[in-house]
Coordinates of all heavy atoms in Angstrom, one line a residue:
W609 N 156.7 -126.4 -46.9 CA 156.9 -124.9 -46.8 C 155.6 -124.1 -47.3 O 155.3 -123.2 -46.6 CB 158.2 -124.6 -47.7 CG 159.4 -124.9 -47.0 CD1 159.7 -125.0 -45.6 CD2 160.7 -125.2 -47.7 NE1 160.9 -125.4 -45.4 CE2 161.7 -125.4 -46.6 CE3 161.1 -125.2 -49.0 CZ2 163.0 -125.7 -46.8 CZ3 162.4 -125.5 -49.1 CH2 163.3 -125.7 -48.2
P610 N 155.1 -124.3 -48.4 CA 153.9 -123.5 -48.8 C 152.7 -123.6 -47.9 O 152.2 -122.7 -47.6 CB 153.5 -124.0 -50.2 CG 154.9 -124.7 -50.7 CD 155.5 -125.4 -49.4
L611 N 152.5 -124.9 -47.4 CA 151.4 -125.2 -46.6 C 151.5 -124.4 -45.2 O 150.6 -123.7 -44.7 CB 151.1 -126.6 -46.3 CG 149.8 -127.0 -45.5 CD1 148.6 -126.4 -46.2 CD2 149.8 -128.5 -45.5
T612 N 152.7 -124.5 -44.6 CA 153.0 -123.8 -43.4 C 152.9 -122.3 -43.6 O 152.3 -121.6 -42.8 CB 154.4 -124.2 -42.8 OG1 154.4 -125.5 -42.7 CG2 154.6 -123.5 -41.5
S613 N 153.5 -121.8 -44.7 CA 153.5 -120.3 -45.0 C 152.0 -119.8 -45.1 O 151.7 -118.8 -44.7 CB 154.3 -120.1 -46.2 OG 155.7 -120.4 -46.1
A614 N 151.2 -120.7 -45.9 CA 149.8 -120.2 -46.0 C 149.1 -120.1 -44.7 O 148.4 -119.1 -44.5 CB 149.1 -121.2 -47.0
V615 N 149.3 -121.1 -43.8 CA 148.7 -121.0 -42.5 C 149.1 -119.9 -41.7 O 148.3 -119.2 -41.0 CB 148.8 -122.4 -41.8 CG1 148.1 -122.3 -40.4 CG2 148.1 -123.6 -42.5
V616 N 150.4 -119.6 -41.7 CA 151.0 -118.5 -40.9 C 150.4 -117.1 -41.4 O 150.1 -116.3 -40.7 CB 152.6 -118.6 -41.0 CG1 153.1 -117.2 -40.5 CG2 153.1 -119.8 -40.2
A617 N 150.3 -117.1 -42.8 CA 149.7 -115.9 -43.4 C 148.3 -115.6 -43.1 O 147.9 -114.5 -42.9 CB 150.1 -115.8 -44.9
A618 N 147.6 -116.7 -43.1 CA 146.2 -116.5 -42.9 C 145.8 -116.4 -41.4 O 144.8 -115.8 -41.0 CB 145.5 -117.8 -43.4
S619 N 146.7 -117.0 -40.6 CA 146.5 -117.0 -39.0 C 147.6 -116.6 -38.3 O 148.0 -115.4 -38.2 CB 145.8 -118.3 -38.6 OG 145.5 -118.3 -37.2
D620 N 148.4 -117.5 -37.8 CA 149.6 -117.3 -37.1 C 150.5 -118.5 -37.0 O 150.0 -119.7 -37.3 CB 149.5 -116.7 -35.8 CG 148.4 -117.5 -34.9 OD1 148.4 -118.7 -35.1 OD2 147.6 -116.9 -34.0
W621 N 151.7 -118.4 -36.5 CA 152.5 -119.6 -36.4 C 152.0 -120.7 -35.5 O 152.2 -121.9 -35.7 CB 154.0 -119.2 -36.3 CG 154.3 -118.7 -34.9 CD1 154.3 -117.3 -34.5 CD2 154.6 -119.3 -33.6 NE1 154.6 -117.1 -33.2 CE2 154.8 -118.3 -32.6 CE3 154.7 -120.7 -33.4 CZ2 155.1 -118.6 -31.4 CZ3 155.0 -121.0 -32.0 CH2 155.2 -120.0 -31.0
P622 N 151.5 -120.4 -34.2 CA 150.9 -121.4 -33.4 C 149.8 -122.2 -34.1 O 149.8 -123.4 -33.9 CB 150.4 -120.7 -32.2 CG 151.1 -119.4 -32.2 CD 151.3 -118.9 -33.6
T623 N 149.0 -121.6 -35.0 CA 148.0 -122.4 -35.7 C 148.7 -123.3 -36.6 O 148.2 -124.4 -36.8 CB 147.1 -121.3 -36.4 OG1 146.5 -120.5 -35.5 CG2 146.0 -122.1 -37.1
A624 N 149.8 -122.9 -37.2 CA 150.5 -123.9 -38.1 C 151.0 -125.1 -37.4 O 151.0 -126.2 -37.8 CB 151.7 -123.1 -38.8
C625 N 151.6 -124.9 -36.2 CA 152.0 -125.9 -35.4 C 150.9 -126.8 -35.0 O 151.0 -128.1 -35.0 CB 152.6 -125.5 -34.0 SG 154.1 -124.5 -34.3
L626 N 149.7 -126.3 -34.7 CA 148.5 -127.0 -34.3 C 148.0 -127.9 -35.5 O 147.6 -129.0 -35.4 CB 147.3 -126.2 -33.8 CG 147.7 -125.4 -32.5 CD1 146.5 -124.5 -32.1 CD2 147.9 -126.5 -31.4
M627 N 148.1 -127.3 -36.7 CA 147.7 -128.0 -37.9 C 148.6 -129.3 -38.0 O 148.0 -130.4 -38.4 CB 147.8 -127.1 -39.2 CG 147.7 -127.8 -40.5 SD 148.3 -127.0 -41.9 CE 150.0 -127.1 -41.6
W628 N 149.9 -129.1 -37.9 CA 150.8 -130.2 -38.2 C 150.6 -131.3 -37.0 O 150.6 -132.5 -37.2 CB 152.3 -129.9 -38.1 CG 152.6 -129.2 -39.5 CD1 153.1 -127.9 -39.7 CD2 152.4 -129.8 -40.8 NE1 153.3 -127.6 -41.0 CE2 152.9 -128.8 -41.6 CE3 152.1 -130.9 -41.2 CZ2 152.9 -129.0 -43.1 CZ3 152.1 -131.2 -42.7 CH2 152.6 -130.3 -43.5
A629 N 150.2 -130.8 -35.8 CA 149.9 -131.8 -34.7 C 148.6 -132.7 -35.2 O 148.6 -133.8 -34.9 CB 149.7 -131.0 -33.5
A630 N 147.7 -131.9 -35.7 CA 146.4 -132.7 -36.1 C 146.8 -133.7 -37.2 O 146.3 -134.7 -37.2 CB 145.4 -131.6 -36.5
A631 N 147.7 -133.3 -38.0 CA 148.0 -134.2 -39.2 C 148.6 -135.5 -38.7 O 148.5 -136.6 -39.2 CB 149.0 -133.4 -40.2
H632 N 149.5 -135.3 -37.5 CA 150.1 -136.5 -37.0 C 149.1 -137.3 -36.3 O 149.2 -138.6 -36.5 CB 151.1 -136.1 -36.0 CG 152.5 -135.7 -36.5 ND1 153.4 -136.7 -36.8 CD2 153.1 -134.6 -36.7 CE1 154.5 -136.1 -37.3 NE2 154.4 -134.7 -37.3
L633 N 148.2 -136.8 -35.7 CA 147.1 -137.6 -34.9 C 146.2 -138.2 -35.9 O 145.8 -139.4 -35.7 CB 146.5 -136.6 -33.9 CG 145.5 -137.2 -32.8 CD1 146.4 -138.1 -31.9 CD2 144.9 -136.3 -32.1

């Protein structure tokens, strides 16, 4: 929750999705 919220606040929600996709990969 805090990490996703921080990325959304700093950029946007698609960037948060891309961050988690990178974490999986």
Side-chain angles (χ1 to χ4, degrees):
W609 282 337
L611 186 55
T612 302
S613 298
V615 174
V616 171
S619 182
D620 51 28
W621 65 267
T623 302
C625 294
L626 296 177
M627 173 198 69
W628 287 118
H632 276 284
L633 190 63

